[in-house]
Each structure stands twice: as structure tokens, then as C-alpha cells.
Amino acid sequence: MKVIAISSSAQTIFNFLFSASWAIYIGGALIMAIVWKPLQKGLAPQQTAVLCEKMGEKYKWVALSSLSVIGISWILLGLSDHEFFRSGSLGIKGVTYLQGAIGAVCWVGLVVVVMLMGVKLHPNSHKRASLKDAELSLEEMKLRRRKSIKKMDLLLKAELSIALIAVFTLAWSQAISK
Amino acid sequence: MTATWIRIVASYLHLLAVAVYLGGSVAMEFIMGPAQKFIPPAQAQVIGQKSADKFLILVWSALVVFPISGMLLFFGIQDQSVVSGTQFFTTTYGRTLFAMMFLWLVLVINGAIITFIYRPRLNQKASSKGGGAGVQANLEAQIQAAKKVSLITRIDLGVALFIVLLGASMVYGNGIL
């Protein structure tokens, strides 16, 4: 059973958008963790701050655009051709339902993490002193910034872990659907 | 037929390799590269070298994983006769698979050109050999090498995207070529 009917060419395009967006999103997260993070140790703090600010701003938009495309193409692919809507055993349906649920939870988790990092923590860690902060001492400002950076590191690890679980779920669903 | 868990592991590695190659290239070329313009050139060069060296290790790992995981996935499909014998070139599925293999070879060749020809030129330390003209020539060679690496990386990015399209066409049909 198909909830919506689309041609196989359209399915190919949706699957291409889904796969390419996943690859771009996860590849970006991996590069940040494997290449950029260790590099920071050998850099002067001012340069790290400049690079972090510029890269973080772009990464946020790349990540959010990719996650949006993943969400839209996934829904369209799911509605047009998903094991769950085909006639089959209850066991297979149960597994595909579980995979879909894990995928959806991962996707929501990733959107929340990226939004938290991009909208709250990243701007906080690069905030310059303003008149509103005049009453705060320099030490307090530094402490606040350090806290944001620590939370960012934690969220980056969470992001990568969720993304790897999502890839595993995708691999699992592809492996049993063939 | 391959066992289910082998197919899951192969599929996982295959997807991760695509992510490292495609997503990594996008991040290096469009996120890390442009950000380096905002710091002093000498520092940018050091960061560029270190990040590129690490990224090349990831790229080569992905290029090695592609054929191994791809073959394991191929042995997992039910109807392997679609690419047996001459069908490899006469069926849409076979031609699409062949194109993917050919494009993988293009990525390997481009990777080798960057690793063994242009990276050593970029890593060359400035020497006073040949005087001011020598230093200038060295700098010119490095700029040219950096431009070529960027061009090849963008070509690779296009090729990788096309490979993903070919792969996507095989999931919901029999290929597109």
C-alpha cells in the first residue's frame, strides 16, 4: 500500500536528496570532531575564537538545511514506499516501525542539539562585552564563556553519538529490506 | 547470500565512508577553508596543512572502505545474475554499477594526484636557495598547487554527488544509465 503515489524517478531524486543531505550533515560533524577539535590545541586562543565563530556560523546553516532536507525527503519516501505500508508479516512491520521510531527520535534530537548550539551556546561563547554586561566583572564574563564552551563540547559529543545511531538504523533498515 | 549482520556492518561502513568523503569535502572546502581567511596567512597555512593531512587519511580510508563494503553489499542482493557475464554492460543495473566503479577509480586517481604531487609542493618549506627569486618562485608554485588542489577537490565533490545519485537510483529502481 502506498499512502502517496510518486514515480520511481521522483523516488530516486528524494532518495538522492536524503542520502546526500545525510552524508553532508554527518561528514561535517565528523570533520568538526576528528579534524577541527584536535587542531584547536595547537592554536592561539584568539585565532581559535575567530575560526570557531566563522565556522560555527556556517556549520549551523549547513546542518539545519541538511536536517530539513532529510526530514522532508524522508517523509515523502516513507509515505510513497515503506516496508511498513506494504503487506507483510507483523514481525517485519514491527521491526520497520521500530527503525522508523528510532530514526524519528534521532532526527528530533539532532534538530534540538543543533538549535541549542547554534542559537544559544555558540553565540554566548563569542559574545563581546556589551553595556548590559557592564556590571559583570571580567572574570565573570570569562567564566560564563567557559561554561558555554564546555556545554558546547558536551553537545557536540551528543550530536555525533545520535548521528552515528541514526546511521546504524539506516544501515539496519537497508540491510534487511534487500 | 551474506549473513544479515555482515550486510548491516557493510552498509554502516559504506554509509559512513560516503559521509566522510562527501560531507568531509563539503566541510573542508566550504566551512574550514573560507574561515582561514580571517586569520594571519602564516597561521592559516599551518592550519591548512595540518587539517588537510588529517583529512587525506580520512579520504583514503573511505576510498578503501567503498569497494570492500560495496562488494559485501553486492553479495547480499538476492538477484546477482543482473550483473553476471555480459549483463554487466547490457543491463541498466549493470551499467550503473560499472559507472560507480569507474567513478570510484577517478576519485582514487585524483586522490593520488593530490597526495603525491600537490601536497608535497604545498608542504615545502621556504628556503633561501636561489635568493629572492627562488623564494618568489617557491611561493608561486605553492599558490598554483593550492589552486589545483581546490579545483580537484571540487571536481571530486561533483563526482561523489553523482555516485550518490547512481546509488540512489539502484535502491528504488534498476539504475539510470
Side-chain angles (χ1 to χ4, degrees), chain A residues 32 51-66 114 122, chain B residues 26-27 29-38 154:
Chain A
M32 293 296 149
L51 287 172
C52 260
E53 191 179 359
K54 301 291 174 198
M55 283 164 56
E57 191 58 32
K58 269 201 176 175
Y59 178 68
K60 177 178 80 184
W61 291 114
V62 170
L64 285 176
S65 318
S66 304
V114 173
H122 192 256
Chain B
V26 169
E29 194 63 20
F30 300 108
I31 298 176
M32 270 192 96
Q36 287 167 25
K37 286 176 190 148
F38 295 94
R154 284 174 190 220

Side-chain angles (χ1 to χ4, degrees), chain B residues 139-153:
Chain B
L139 196 68
E140 195 58 42
Q142 283 190 335
I143 292 168
Q144 288 303 319
K147 277 185 186 166
K148 295 249 169 73
V149 168
S150 182
L151 180 74
I152 294 174
T153 306

Side-chain angles (χ1 to χ4, degrees), chain B residues 33-94:
Chain B
Q36 287 167 25
K37 286 176 190 148
F38 295 94
I39 58 168
Q43 279 293 322
Q45 198 192 3
V46 173
I47 293 170
Q49 273 176 14
K50 283 187 180 171
S51 57
D53 288 344
K54 274 204 166 182
F55 181 57
L56 274 178
I57 295 172
L58 290 174
V59 162
W60 280 111
S61 311
L63 285 172
V64 169
V65 167
F66 283 138
I68 299 168
S69 55
M71 245 189 289
L72 284 170
L73 285 173
F74 170 70
F75 290 127
I77 62 168
Q78 273 146 12
D79 190 10
Q80 288 167 16
S81 63
V82 285
V83 287
S84 61
T86 54
Q87 291 202 30
F88 202 68
F89 300 101
T90 53
T91 61
T92 316
Y93 193 92

Side-chain angles (χ1 to χ4, degrees), chain A residues 73-122:
Chain A
S73 53
W74 192 38
I75 288 170
L76 288 168
L77 276 175
L79 292 178
S80 66
D81 182 54
H82 195 275
E83 205 80 37
F84 187 66
F85 298 116
R86 289 184 203 157
S87 56
S89 73
L90 208 64
I92 288 177
K93 282 191 174 196
V95 170
T96 54
Y97 182 73
L98 180 68
Q99 288 165 346
I102 295 172
V105 169
C106 287
W107 184 82
V108 172
L110 289 172
V111 172
V112 171
V113 168
V114 173
M115 288 293 272
L116 258 176
M117 283 197 296
V119 179
K120 199 170 183 294
L121 296 174
H122 192 256

Side-chain angles (χ1 to χ4, degrees), chain B:
Chain B
M1 283 291 290
T2 328
T4 307
W5 71 268
I6 295 178
R7 270 184 288 153
I8 294 174
V9 172
S11 185
Y12 188 61
L13 291 176
H14 207 70
L15 290 171
L16 276 184
V18 175
V20 163
Y21 197 95
L22 184 61
S25 302
V26 169
M28 290 295 288
E29 194 63 20
F30 300 108
I31 298 176
M32 270 192 96
Q36 287 167 25
K37 286 176 190 148
F38 295 94
I39 58 168
Q43 279 293 322
Q45 198 192 3
V46 173
I47 293 170
Q49 273 176 14
K50 283 187 180 171
S51 57
D53 288 344
K54 274 204 166 182
F55 181 57
L56 274 178
I57 295 172
L58 290 174
V59 162
W60 280 111
S61 311
L63 285 172
V64 169
V65 167
F66 283 138
I68 299 168
S69 55
M71 245 189 289
L72 284 170
L73 285 173
F74 170 70
F75 290 127
I77 62 168
Q78 273 146 12
D79 190 10
Q80 288 167 16
S81 63
V82 285
V83 287
S84 61
T86 54
Q87 291 202 30
F88 202 68
F89 300 101
T90 53
T91 61
T92 316
Y93 193 92
R95 279 196 299 265
T96 306
L97 192 62
F98 178 74
M100 285 172 88
M101 289 172 178
F102 176 75
L103 291 172
W104 169 81
L105 197 64
V106 171
L107 294 181
V108 170
I109 292 168
N110 282 351
I113 292 171
I114 290 178
T115 311
F116 302 113
I117 298 175
Y118 293 120
R119 285 303 310 163
R121 282 187 204 170
L122 282 170
N123 288 341
Q124 250 170 25
K125 301 255 181 324
S127 77
S128 53
K129 218 169 129 184
V135 173
Q136 187 60 35
N138 198 11
L139 196 68
E140 195 58 42
Q142 283 190 335
I143 292 168
Q144 288 303 319
K147 277 185 186 166
K148 295 249 169 73
V149 168
S150 182
L151 180 74
I152 294 174
T153 306
R154 284 174 190 220
I155 291 171
D156 283 352
L157 204 56
V159 172
L161 272 172
F162 190 61
I163 294 176
V164 173
L165 177 67
L166 293 178
S169 75
M170 289 164 86
V171 173
Y172 284 99
N174 287 319
I176 48 171
L177 296 176

